[in-house]
Amino acid sequence: MVNSVEGPETCNSYNMLKLTEDLYRRQPSSEYVDYYERTLYNHILSSQNPDKGGFVYFTPMRPQHYRVYSQPQEGFWCCVGSGMENHGKYGQLIYAHHQSNLFINLFIPSVLNWKEKGVTLTQQTRFPEEEQTQLSFKVAKPTRLALHVRQPVWSKGFQVKVNGKSVSTSVDDKGFVIIDRTWKTGDQVSINLPMTTTAEVLPDSSAWVSFVHGPIVLASATGQQNLTGLYADDSRMGHIASGAMTPLAQAPLLVQANPKDLVASIKPISGQSLRFRLPGQTTELQPFYQIHDSRYMIYWPYTAPENQKARLKELEKSDELTLKMEKSTVDKIATGEQQPESDHGFQGEQTEIGVHEDVHFRRAKGWFSYSLKNKNQAGRSLQVTLHADDAPQRFNLYFNGILLEKVQVEKKEGNGFFTKTYALPEAAQKSDTLLIKFEAPAGSETGPIYEIRLLK
Ligand SMILES: [Zn+2]
C-alpha cells in the first residue's frame, strides 16, 4: 500500500473496533484495549475534518499524498455513515464493569455515572498531550470496588497512586493493575503513563519506517500543493485523492542503517507537546490525527549511507509501473470488493467472490457484468488481471452485449498475477459507458478475475 493513493478505509477500522469490543466483552484483556486505543487515536480520530466536518474514506500511506473529505450535500459513502457513528462513540469503551469490578480502559476525560452503585467517577486528563490521568470518586456511601486500571503495552514506568501514595502495581494476567478497597468521596487515583518514541518497520521488513510515541502515530505535514478534490464532489471516484502523486524518490529519505538509531536521534521540541525534530529534516513530527488539508509522510524510506544511490533507484523503479499505469487508466474495478463493485453497477447470476494471495476476485458458473465509465471516450483497451494458478482459464468477454473474445488461457503462464489486454472495437470507443460482461462457457465456469482496467 506504500505505492497506492488508496489505503486503509475508515469503515475497516470502524468494524474492527466493533469486533474488538465484542472480544473484550468475552475476555477483558488489555491487549484488546491496546489495539482499540491505537486504532481510535490514529485512524478514527484522524478521519474527520475538524473545521468543515467532512469524513475520510481512504487514508493513503503513500509518502506525500493526502486525503479527501466528504461534503454535507455532495456524497454519502459508507465511511460517511459509519463516520457519523465513529465520532459519537468516543465514550464507548473508556469504562466497563462486571459485578463489583470497574475497569479503566482508556485515558479520556470523562464522567462515569454508575447509578446502581451510587458512584460517580471523574477522569481529568489532557492525554496524550500529558503523560498522566486523574480519577476522583464521589460516592453515595463508602463502597467497595475492585478498580482494574489498564497498563498499556507502550508504557514503561507505569505507576498508580491513591491519594498521593504508591500502591502495589502487580498486574493480573489480563494486563490490569487491581486496586481493591472501599472508596470514599474525595478519593483520588493518579496514573502515571510515561511515553517513549519507537520505530516500526513494515511487516515484510522492507526499508520503510514509521514512528510511534506511546500509542500515537507520528507524521509530518509536507505541504498543500495540488490537493485536487480535497472536498469531494458527488462523482463516483470523488472519495479518492486524485491529485498528482509525488514520486517516491522525491520523498524525504532517512539516511541511517538502523531504525533504532533513527529513534535515538529524534528530539522533542521544547515547549511544544508531541512535537519532534527528525535529524536532517526540515519538517516536524507530530500526531497524525492533527494533520488535515495537507500532504503528509507516515512511512519513511530509509537506507544505510553507502546504499543511498541504490535505494533511490529502487524507489524510482517501484514508482515507474504505478505512475505509468495510473496515467493510462480511464476506469478500474477491484473485482470481488463490495464498494468498487457496487460503484460499477455489478450484476450477475451464479457468481461468487473469493480471495487468493490477499487479492479479491470474482468468478462465475453463470455470468457477471459491470458498467465502466469511459471518461472523455478515452478508453481504447481493456486489461484483465488473472493468476497463473487458475489455468486453464476460459470466459466469453462481451462489450455492450457484443461478443468481443472467447478467452482461453490453457497453460500456466509464469508465476503469480499477470494481465491480458483486449482492444476495444471502434463502436465501443465512442460510448460513454461500457457494459463489460464475463460469461462462463457452456457447462464450465470462468476462473477468478482479479482486476479490470479500462486503459487509454
Ligand atoms: Zn467505508
Side-chain angles (χ1 to χ4, degrees):
M1 297 311 289
V2 154
N3 283 14
S4 177
V5 300
E6 300 182 5
E9 177 189 339
T10 312
C11 282
N12 285 355
S13 291
Y14 161 91
N15 283 313
M16 286 299 285
L17 292 192
K18 275 190 167 179
L19 174 64
T20 307
E21 193 189 312
D22 283 347
L23 290 168
Y24 174 87
R25 277 180 209 277
R26 292 174 66 97
Q27 163 92 267
S29 154
S30 68
E31 254 185 300
Y32 293 132
V33 190
D34 286 330
Y35 173 82
Y36 195 98
E37 177 183 63
R38 209 175 148 118
T39 308
L40 196 68
Y41 282 94
N42 298 310
H43 198 184
I44 301 298
L45 182 59
S46 79
S47 65
Q48 185 175 28
N49 189 295
D51 301 319
K52 305 216 171 194
F55 299 108
V56 165
Y57 189 110
F58 286 128
T59 295
M61 293 296 108
R62 186 182 169 91
Q64 306 193 85
H65 211 63
Y66 65 102
R67 313 185 296 167
V68 304
Y69 305 90
S70 66
Q71 300 192 78
Q73 306 298 336
E74 297 290 336
F76 209 99
W77 326 311
C78 50
C79 293
V80 175
S82 62
M84 288 182 192
E85 286 184 46
N86 276 335
H87 305 282
K89 287 206 308 196
Y90 290 113
Q92 189 98 346
L93 200 67
I94 305 174
Y95 307 101
H97 70 87
H98 175 64
Q99 294 162 353
S100 287
N101 299 285
L102 176 61
F103 292 81
I104 313 298
N105 292 320
L106 295 168
F107 312 114
I108 297 179
S110 51
V111 178
L112 170 72
N113 289 309
W114 192 359
K115 280 195 199 121
E116 296 84 347
K117 296 272 180 197
V119 171
T120 304
L121 187 69
T122 303
Q123 181 170 182
Q124 286 179 299
T125 181
R126 286 187 301 112
F127 178 87
E129 301 205 344
E130 64 174 351
E131 302 184 344
Q132 61 108 26
T133 187
Q134 295 277 350
L135 308 170
S136 31
F137 276 91
K138 204 176 140 193
V139 291
K141 57 176 192 313
T143 304
R144 180 146 185 202
L145 287 179
L147 204 63
H148 298 241
V149 181
R150 168 177 154 251
Q151 177 167 348
V153 67
W154 45 261
S155 188
K156 315 276 179 263
F158 170 92
Q159 214 188 9
V160 185
K161 285 183 176 172
V162 177
N163 299 329
K165 289 185 191 121
S166 293
V167 290
S168 126
T169 54
S170 69
V171 183
D172 70 0
D173 62 349
K174 309 283 193 303
F176 289 88
V177 170
I178 302 168
I179 311 159
D180 190 353
R181 55 179 270 156
T182 301
W183 300 93
K184 297 188 292 292
T185 294
D187 278 347
Q188 299 269 344
V189 179
S190 49
I191 305 163
N192 228 337
L193 300 158
M195 292 194 241
T196 51
T197 307
T198 52
E200 294 191 9
V201 295
L202 288 179
D204 70 352
S205 301
S206 57
W208 292 90
V209 64
S210 184
F211 303 104
V212 184
H213 187 71
I216 306 297
V217 170
L218 301 177
S220 279
T222 61
Q224 268 103 33
Q225 64 285 4
N226 298 322
L227 302 178
T228 311
L230 181 66
Y231 303 109
D233 58 19
D234 64 354
S235 65
R236 202 172 65 199
M237 295 302 159
H239 61 291
I240 300 171
S242 59
M245 288 186 252
T246 313
L248 294 181
Q250 284 173 26
L253 178 64
L254 305 180
V255 182
Q256 181 63 260
N258 187 341
K260 280 201 182 126
D261 296 331
L262 270 171
V263 170
S265 60
I266 292 176
K267 295 283 173 273
I269 298 173
S270 72
Q272 297 185 51
S273 70
L274 298 176
R275 297 269 169 157
F276 304 85
R277 186 97 52 214
L278 198 52
Q281 302 298 325
T282 48
T283 54
E284 296 169 3
L285 287 171
Q286 67 187 100
F288 175 64
Y289 65 72
Q290 294 175 345
I291 297 177
H292 284 281
D293 302 342
S294 176
R295 291 182 177 253
Y296 55 81
M297 293 286 294
I298 289 184
Y299 277 100
W300 306 72
Y302 70 92
T303 182
E306 62 274 23
N307 293 335
Q308 215 168 326
K309 263 193 182 156
R311 182 77 176 109
L312 282 172
K313 267 239 158 71
E314 197 179 271
L315 291 168
E316 263 168 31
K317 209 174 150 217
S318 137
D319 242 359
E320 248 168 46
L321 208 61
T322 324
L323 293 176
K324 215 168 114 189
M325 188 53 78
E326 287 309 320
K327 258 192 188 150
S328 58
T329 298
V330 184
D331 197 5
K332 65 175 173 184
I333 309 167
T335 45
E337 291 190 36
Q338 182 272 332
Q339 191 69 38
E341 287 200 328
S342 88
D343 284 346
H344 289 89
F346 161 75
Q347 291 189 51
E349 282 173 9
Q350 287 185 280
T351 172
E352 62 174 8
I353 57 173
V355 178
H356 184 50
E357 287 184 5
D358 291 334
V359 180
H360 294 254
F361 65 75
R362 179 169 287 284
R363 66 181 162 205
K365 285 190 170 129
W367 59 274
F368 55 95
S369 72
Y370 304 99
S371 164
L372 286 161
K373 205 171 180 184
N374 190 11
K375 200 180 170 193
N376 301 328
Q377 301 186 351
R380 291 294 174 269
S381 62
L382 189 80
Q383 179 184 282
V384 178
T385 303
L386 308 172
H387 196 288
D389 292 351
D390 303 324
Q393 158 77 278
R394 291 170 204 147
F395 55 86
N396 300 333
L397 182 59
Y398 293 85
F399 270 109
N400 295 347
I402 300 159
L403 180 65
L404 180 75
E405 189 149 332
K406 288 191 173 186
V407 175
Q408 299 199 331
V409 182
E410 297 302 337
K411 285 200 312 269
K412 192 173 156 100
E413 290 190 11
N415 288 307
F417 295 102
F418 64 98
T419 59
K420 289 276 183 192
T421 308
Y422 308 99
L424 285 183
E426 229 165 278
Q429 293 176 13
K430 297 201 178 77
S431 174
D432 289 329
T433 309
L434 299 171
L435 188 71
I436 310 298
K437 182 177 166 189
F438 295 79
E439 180 194 63
S444 174
E445 65 179 310
T446 77
I449 308 293
Y450 297 87
E451 189 188 62
I452 300 165
R453 272 178 197 263
L454 182 61
L455 298 178
K456 284 179 188 166

